[in-house]
């Protein structure tokens, strides 16, 4: 997993340099693609060096992603996608404290 995340990071770094892109790249893994806790912990652990984050589209995914990023002490992004009802927004606010 470490090798794959590093390869992905390197590919974007090369493209950014080659095309003189003024922005930056920060990857995120969509939790909905695989909810396996061990896989997500591995992504967060090996992605910590490059601030690789997680994307959550539902309240259960948000709770899982936020707890994994917080436990690992990662500054990876937590992207919140999907329908945002009142409970989802409240959860986002609570997890950001």
């Amino acid at each position: 997993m470490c090798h794959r995340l590093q390869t992905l990071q390197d590919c974007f770094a090369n493209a950014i340099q080659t095309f003189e892109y003024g922005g930056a790249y920060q990857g995120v893994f969509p939790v909905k693609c695989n909810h396996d806790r061990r896989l997500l912990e591995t992504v967060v652990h090996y992605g910590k060096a490059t601030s690789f984050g997680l994307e959550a589209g539902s309240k259960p995914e948000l709770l899982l992603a936020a707890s994994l990023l917080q436990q690992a002490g990662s500054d990876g992004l937590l992207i919140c996608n999907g329908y945002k009802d009142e409970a989802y927004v409240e959860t986002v606010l609570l997890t950001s404290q």
Side-chain angles (χ1 to χ4, degrees), residues 17 52 60 80 83:
Q17 183 178 4
F52 205 91
C80 301
Y83 178 71

Side-chain angles (χ1 to χ4, degrees), residues 27-90:
V28 294
F29 180 83
V31 175
K32 68 182 172 189
C33 290
N34 192 325
H35 293 99
D36 181 75
R37 185 177 185 92
R38 282 174 281 174
L39 174 81
L40 296 172
E41 287 172 341
T42 302
V43 168
V44 171
H45 174 76
Y46 287 114
K48 201 171 167 186
T50 58
S51 299
F52 205 91
L54 298 172
E55 179 266 331
S58 67
K59 186 175 177 183
E61 289 176 1
L62 173 61
L63 294 171
L64 176 59
S67 68
L68 290 173
L69 290 169
Q70 183 180 31
Q71 286 172 7
S74 173
D75 27 326
L77 291 176
L78 175 56
I79 302 295
C80 301
N81 278 329
Y83 178 71
K84 316 271 189 311
D85 62 8
E86 187 175 333
Y88 187 93
V89 172
E90 182 179 344

